[in-house]
Amino acid sequence: MLQTLSDWFWWDHLWLPRNLTWADLEDREGYVYAKASHLYVTVLYAIVFMIARHFFERLIATPLAKMMGIKNQIRLKVTYNVVLENFFVSISKHPTRSQIEGLSKKCSWTVRTIERWFRRRRNQDRPSLMKKFREACWRCTFYLLAFFGGIAALIDKPWFYDTWEVWVGYPKQDFKEQVIHHVATIILLSFSWCANYIRVGTLVMVVHDSSDILLESAKMLNYAGWKSICNSLFIVFAAVFIITRLVIFPFWIIHCTWVYPVHHYPPFFGYYFFNAMLVVLQLLHIFWAYLILQMVAKFFSSKLDGDDRSDQEECDGSDDDDEGMKNGGGSKNKLAVNSHHSH
């Protein structure tokens, strides 16, 4: 049964042009072709990347964050309260006004104290600025290396300048120079690997990495408090995103995958499948571009005041309501030491 399903899934006519079979992609005469079995090595790569990330964040990103003035915040811990904790975990992290008033009566705490408890409780689950900076620094470095690695692999390739060359000789195309740029493939690029869509896969990665570098750089500057430079870099990111994702991707990449292949082979299932996924990706680009343009509009209207998803950061205990949080719960309350963790 499983063999039958496997044979059906890997049926040659689904993924390859009619006059070719998987046997045509067996290594011979000095040619080495991409194979689905090669993707198993990504498990090892994932472990290596996690180890590399750990040392990078510890030895490079953390010192860099400190040089840029980022410090570890000491967040206030909430007083443990059974009623509020159960509500927070099982019902809502953002209670409505009526729910807050009900909780206020149950706990004999003021409404403002209840609001502060939930805000601080949410803050305990949020990653610190230091952690967010380290993550952005790692992603920025990864995208930067991936982008320039892709450029280095493609700079002497004819299909980098003329996308007609992407399909010349397909699928009998050597893949060795493009291995580095495909280690980050997931679903779409995994298919491009299995069906040997190596050339177009590398072009897709380069187009995407170019704007991601700027986004992560802007995040790092934002976490460091360098607002003016961050805002300027975000505008550059928005421009590069629009150009690469809404112009180059549809009119260069998708045009290449939709128009040129039929000049070499009759359309087949893999052709439609690959293009359908690229179109889905393009729809996501349009959605993200809409959100980015909204942020740019807020920026120019002086309404961009940080991350709307974030609660107000609290790192001291100077407010009068702190005493109410310590004493308002009576014998039911006890001080809890909650370890900070990130999403």
Side-chain angles (χ1 to χ4, degrees), residues 166-328:
V166 166
W167 304 103
V168 174
Y170 174 79
K172 298 182 180 181
Q173 300 167 340
D174 194 351
F175 83 101
K176 286 184 290 188
E177 288 99 357
Q178 286 78 41
V179 171
I180 296 176
H181 207 58
H182 270 69
V183 296
T185 58
I186 307 176
I187 299 176
L188 180 59
L189 291 184
S190 293
F191 166 74
S192 77
W193 184 276
C194 294
N196 214 32
Y197 281 34
I198 305 299
R199 293 180 178 179
V200 69
T202 55
L203 296 178
V204 170
M205 290 294 290
V206 167
V207 167
H208 283 74
D209 288 344
S210 58
S211 60
D212 289 337
I213 298 168
L214 297 171
L215 176 61
E216 299 304 330
S217 299
K219 287 181 181 180
M220 293 167 59
L221 295 172
N222 178 55
Y223 300 148
W226 298 13
K227 300 298 183 183
S228 58
I229 303 178
C230 169
N231 291 339
S232 300
L233 191 58
F234 181 79
I235 298 300
V236 176
F237 156 74
V240 172
F241 186 96
I242 297 298
I243 293 172
T244 56
R245 307 292 181 93
L246 300 188
V247 178
I248 294 179
F249 187 79
F251 297 107
W252 187 47
I253 301 295
I254 295 184
H255 179 269
C256 162
T257 61
W258 190 269
V259 176
Y260 294 161
V262 296
H263 290 274
H264 297 269
Y265 304 101
F268 53 101
F269 176 80
Y271 163 83
Y272 293 113
F273 176 79
F274 187 67
N275 279 288
M277 296 199 65
L278 290 180
V279 170
V280 170
L281 190 58
Q282 180 58 36
L283 293 177
L284 290 174
H285 291 168
I286 295 172
F287 172 72
W288 291 329
Y290 169 74
L291 298 180
I292 291 171
L293 291 176
Q294 279 190 322
M295 295 184 67
V296 172
K298 288 182 180 180
F299 171 78
F300 283 113
S301 61
S302 301
K303 295 180 180 179
L304 191 58
D305 298 321
D307 191 344
D308 293 337
R309 300 168 299 171
S310 302
D311 290 305
Q312 180 181 351
E313 192 69 50
E314 296 189 39
C315 299
D316 58 56
S318 60
D319 198 281
D320 294 338
D321 281 337
D322 291 345
E323 192 65 28
M325 292 182 67
K326 293 176 182 176
N327 302 324

Side-chain angles (χ1 to χ4, degrees), residues 18-39:
R18 290 282 177 176
N19 58 334
L20 294 170
T21 67
W22 293 115
D24 293 310
L25 295 181
E26 294 179 358
D27 299 343
R28 63 169 68 89
E29 299 177 359
Y31 279 88
V32 180
Y33 298 105
K35 298 177 179 62
S37 59
H38 293 165
L39 293 178

Side-chain angles (χ1 to χ4, degrees), residues 58-184:
R58 183 175 180 178
L59 302 178
I60 298 177
T62 298
L64 179 61
K66 293 178 179 178
M67 288 176 55
M68 298 179 71
I70 297 177
K71 300 178 181 179
N72 275 322
Q73 303 106 322
I74 300 176
R75 288 194 175 130
L76 295 175
K77 306 298 184 181
V78 298
T79 301
Y80 183 79
N81 183 288
V82 175
V83 174
L84 298 182
E85 185 66 25
N86 288 339
F87 188 96
F88 182 89
V89 173
S90 60
I91 299 179
S92 175
K93 297 180 180 180
H94 298 269
T96 64
R97 184 68 180 182
S98 60
Q99 289 173 331
I100 290 176
E101 291 174 351
L103 292 170
S104 175
K105 294 177 181 179
K106 287 183 180 180
C107 300
S108 298
W109 286 7
T110 66
V111 168
R112 188 177 178 188
T113 302
I114 298 293
E115 291 174 338
R116 173 163 288 111
W117 190 96
F118 274 93
R119 182 166 62 251
R120 288 183 180 170
R121 182 64 179 83
R122 290 192 296 268
N123 280 338
Q124 288 181 191
D125 289 343
R126 289 174 52 223
S128 65
L129 282 180
M130 177 66 79
K131 181 174 179 59
K132 289 192 287 187
F133 179 91
R134 290 197 299 253
E135 291 175 347
C137 188
W138 164 257
R139 289 194 296 266
C140 178
T141 302
F142 174 81
Y143 292 139
L144 188 66
L145 294 176
F147 176 75
F148 283 106
I151 293 295
L154 293 171
I155 195 67
D156 60 342
K157 305 301 186 296
W159 59 87
F160 185 56
Y161 309 96
D162 181 7
T163 52
W164 175 267
E165 295 290 332
V166 166
W167 304 103
V168 174
Y170 174 79
K172 298 182 180 181
Q173 300 167 340
D174 194 351
F175 83 101
K176 286 184 290 188
E177 288 99 357
Q178 286 78 41
V179 171
I180 296 176
H181 207 58
H182 270 69
V183 296

